[in-house]
Amino acid sequence: MAIIAFLGTGLLGAAFAEAAAQRGDRVTVWNRSASKAQALAQFGITIAATPAEAVRGASRVHLVLKDDPVVDDIIAAARAGLSAGAVIVDHSTTLPTLTAARAAKLAAAGVNYLHCPVFMTPLMARNARGSMLAAGPAALFEAVKADLAAMTGRLEYQGERSDLAAAKKLFGNALILSLSAAMADVLTLAQACDVPGQDAIGMMELLDLNMMVATRGANMARGDFPPSFELAMARKDVSLMLETAGARPLALLHGIAARMDQLLTAGHGADDVSVLAIDAVQR
């Protein structure tokens, strides 16, 4: 039985704490809004009045917090109760530059810190599914590897570069948000065409998105844009989409059109549409 603490019991933090208690760990939690923490008492979880009280005696301290300023504030508030060998495991989505600075500052102060953002819903956290990234000292990761693996379906160590998990978390969220926006625009086009939304989303089954990432995405990362779908033709298709949508709000397509127009003006009309990434790979 491990003695652990969770600081931050929003939807994800509460799910993590509940799952840990169900696995038999001795869990203490703290949350700025006490009512959210109190709901966990039914699982045998102890509710602390302060961060320092929550972490006292814990071997692991899990943070599931809003942003960098909150992470810094709560770590500072918890330090008085932190055991010498305790490991802070920060699941918060944070800015890579500030994550690196935080890790360096804590290491200099002798505080054990790993950044471990996740791709999970609360349901996934309760059932140890989804993915967790981890970045920080290798020895520290090895010490808690088994415990972290019990929390997730897939655990990926990114190495000792302290900001790398933070960066890759943003990459993943950019994909999730962009895909959500793309599906919203597809539904808008479906509405404009009087096609049921489920039929429109069902079109996704005709597209091999994994292959698109493995081929087109890999070419883009290399800065290689062999034409298979010319930018000029793709821009024509976007014009058809915009005309079809009319005055309906769109989440993504107007921005795509604007970026395509910039590249067409720069003479990239005969390049593959993947030339959208040209500025990202030119350093």
Side-chain angles (χ1 to χ4, degrees):
M1 179 184 68
I3 300 174
I4 61 177
F6 283 87
L7 306 182
T9 58
L11 294 175
L12 187 60
F16 272 139
E18 178 186 335
Q22 298 286 5
R23 286 193 297 269
D25 290 336
R26 180 176 157 191
V27 182
T28 301
V29 301
W30 172 88
N31 193 72
R32 196 183 301 273
S33 300
S35 59
K36 291 183 178 179
Q38 289 293 341
L40 293 168
Q42 62 182 308
F43 302 107
I45 292 172
T46 301
I47 315 303
T50 67
E53 178 185 328
V55 306
R56 194 163 286 119
S59 60
R60 278 181 286 119
V61 175
H62 295 264
L63 308 181
V64 194
L65 300 169
K66 178 184 177 182
D67 54 25
D68 289 283
V70 175
V71 170
D72 289 335
D73 287 349
I74 300 309
I75 290 177
R79 287 281 298 274
L82 197 65
S83 300
V87 180
I88 295 177
V89 182
D90 185 4
H91 303 293
S92 311
T93 300
T94 50
L95 194 68
T97 53
L98 294 181
T99 302
R102 179 179 307 111
K105 179 180 178 181
L106 291 173
V111 177
N112 297 319
Y113 177 83
L114 288 172
H115 189 231
C116 301
V118 301
F119 295 106
M120 293 186 192
T121 64
L123 180 60
M124 289 177 174
R126 288 188 181 90
N127 292 291
R129 295 170 52 210
S131 300
M132 181 184 297
L133 307 177
L140 196 56
F141 173 72
E142 288 298 324
V144 297
K145 179 179 178 180
D147 298 309
L148 297 182
M151 298 174 63
T152 183
R154 182 172 180 175
L155 176 64
E156 295 284 343
Y157 179 53
Q158 305 301 307
E160 298 207 352
R161 179 176 160 180
S162 58
D163 66 338
L164 196 53
K168 290 188 177 181
K169 169 64 173 178
L170 294 186
F171 303 163
N173 277 8
L175 287 170
I176 291 167
L177 296 172
S178 297
L179 183 57
S180 297
M183 289 190 290
D185 282 2
V186 166
L187 289 170
T188 298
L189 293 174
Q191 181 189 63
C193 295
D194 195 25
V195 173
Q198 289 292 345
D199 287 355
I201 295 300
M203 281 286 298
M204 300 270 302
E205 296 180 5
L206 301 179
L207 306 175
D208 190 340
L209 298 180
N210 289 329
M211 181 61 71
M212 188 178 300
V213 171
T215 55
R216 189 181 296 273
N219 286 340
M220 293 169 75
R222 290 193 299 267
D224 185 15
F225 312 115
S228 62
F229 187 9
E230 292 182 356
L231 179 67
M233 293 301 294
R235 179 62 179 90
K236 181 269 296 182
D237 289 354
V238 172
S239 294
L240 298 179
M241 298 169 201
L242 296 177
E243 185 173 350
T244 298
R248 294 173 177 83
L250 292 164
L252 200 62
L253 286 172
H254 286 298
I256 292 173
R259 178 59 178 146
M260 285 179 165
D261 288 343
Q262 292 174 345
L263 292 169
L264 288 169
T265 299
H268 293 288
D271 289 330
D272 189 76
V273 67
S274 57
V275 77
L276 285 164
I278 191 169
D279 289 333
V281 297
Q282 289 181 344
R283 301 182 185 278

